[in-house]
Amino acid sequence: MGDIRGFMKYPRNYVKKEDVAQRLKHYNEFLQIVPLEELRTQGARCMDCGIPFCHTGCPLGNIIPDWNDLVYRDQWREAIDRLHATNNFPEFTGRVCPAPCETACVLGINEDPVSIKQIEMAIADRAFDEGWIVPEPPNVRTGKSVAVVGSGPAGLAAAQQLNRAGHQVTVFERADRPGGLLMYGIPDFKLEKSRVWRRIDQMRAEGIEFRTSANVGVDVSVDELREKYDALLLTGGSTQGRDLKIPGRELGGIHFAMEFLPQQNKINQGDSVEDQILATDKDVIVIGGGDTGSDCTGTSNRQRCRSLTQFELFPAPPDVGQFPRASQRPAGTPWPYWPIIFRTSTSHEEGCQREFSIETKEFLADDGGHVRGLRTVNIEWTKGDNGRPVPKEIPDTEKIWPAQLVLLAMGFVGPEKQGAIEQLGLELDPRGNVKCNEEYMSSVPGVFAAGDMRRGQSLVVWAIHEGREAARSVDKYLMGVSHLPSVNAGDFAWK
């Protein structure tokens, strides 16, 4: 803690963004770079708390006070080393993570929390700019081989950890490019794909093999992988979108968000997409109020939609600002928990009508079998006999909304069962995810699972956590002992 009064002297700096009118003209990132001297000042706000709750807020157990202090002291090279000790890809989490560490910041009890996410992104970006991030191949190979199925954040983190433990790692990806959700899903204006490619290039230089357009369980035999590799780690995503099975669902113009978003990612990579789903000159309704729905709104606005509305089934949470003080938080999510509050994303800032406590009852058709509108009712939530909230329609609130494009972004219900899961005969948990023991091993010996496939739909930071922890378990399975670090084992616990 270099400046013991830093948190009293300096206010929080909020990252600046390109004007809405300008950023809607492109798909590039639009956050403006904060000068290094200002970032040092922000690092000085870290209080070196007796108990740093930011550790518990971060699934990776990032040693946040340490690298805040290193930035304040202008020791950026040491800061990236400390950051990489717990996080393989801080340039990803520094952009797309919602930063539960900040809502757990002790300073946030009665002031704006430390700018942890902004500092994290700056450390990673400077490290790449300065050439400090280079391939780190293992000194010795173990002679063991691992197949990682899925190249999203969980698969990439696991592959890098296993490779650095000395195992020969091959990553199988069914898409034509590696990266999973990072490549095809998250819009470029939140995460430019050049940042994903440079990590892939680093991992290839470390000795990891990537096989794309390889759908395990479909055109790549599961039996072949089990015979050829000493362990199999499944890190595919929770890719089955939650459907809305109401009258008119079969109409044209109604699509899952993950049918819509990857197509624009492909266009931005220079591909051509036949019959691309476009929002241009259409009334667009996004059903679902989460991050995926927000990504749909940002993409629809860049495609120049005519109007844009986002539906949310639940009531609007309390609007108490981005960082409510402990006394302002809802009773159900006190500090240091992630607060359930009204949040406005950068995509919402760009123009979007938001409707809460609304239920879609029917999709309406035009003469050509295409959606032309939605019929909705407003609802109120009451407590049922079992104590759980139950929706109740409010009389005389029926409304017709014009829509020529409807995007379903209501979350995900689990991994796809056809293919590897079905062929391996893996046991599933009650939520339809792959059931594993505490060592991330499935019901089939030698087959492990991690990420959304194991825990269900979650954050990129949780996926990286899962990949790292699963890699340690695979390493232990292969070698009898593992020296890979683990948050679960308390390797990075505050002392």
Side-chain angles (χ1 to χ4, degrees), residues 66-116:
D66 283 21
W67 41 260
N68 279 337
D69 184 57
L70 288 167
V71 165
Y72 169 72
R73 297 174 185 277
D74 205 24
Q75 297 174 354
W76 292 81
R77 181 64 183 265
E78 292 80 1
I80 188 60
D81 291 341
R82 193 62 53 90
L83 188 47
H84 271 155
T86 55
N87 186 352
N88 297 68
F89 314 118
E91 72 277 18
F92 301 160
T93 53
R95 286 172 166 80
V96 303
C97 180
C101 54
E102 293 190 6
T103 63
C105 176
V106 174
L107 183 57
I109 293 175
N110 56 3
E111 295 287 346
D112 287 351
V114 176
S115 304
I116 299 169

Side-chain angles (χ1 to χ4, degrees), residues 433-448:
N433 302 314
V434 175
K435 185 177 181 179
C436 296
N437 61 20
E438 61 183 12
E439 296 292 331
Y440 290 78
M441 188 184 290
S442 73
S443 56
V444 177
V447 177
F448 298 77

Side-chain angles (χ1 to χ4, degrees), residues 265-278:
N265 291 137
K266 284 179 172 289
I267 294 294
N268 294 344
Q269 289 283 300
D271 294 351
S272 60
V273 175
E274 187 175 354
D275 299 324
Q276 183 187 359
I277 303 167
L278 287 169

Side-chain angles (χ1 to χ4, degrees), residues 380-402:
E380 61 180 352
W381 290 86
T382 59
K383 188 173 291 187
D385 295 337
N386 59 3
R388 295 183 177 179
V390 175
K392 180 181 178 182
E393 293 185 14
I394 301 175
D396 304 319
T397 59
E398 184 174 299
K399 183 175 179 178
I400 303 298
W401 302 77

Side-chain angles (χ1 to χ4, degrees), residues 193-209:
K193 304 316 167 196
S194 60
R195 305 189 189 283
V196 181
W197 277 118
R198 69 185 177 189
R199 278 296 184 182
I200 300 297
D201 290 342
Q202 178 200 20
M203 294 172 67
R204 280 177 171 152
E206 292 175 345
I208 298 171
E209 180 183 0

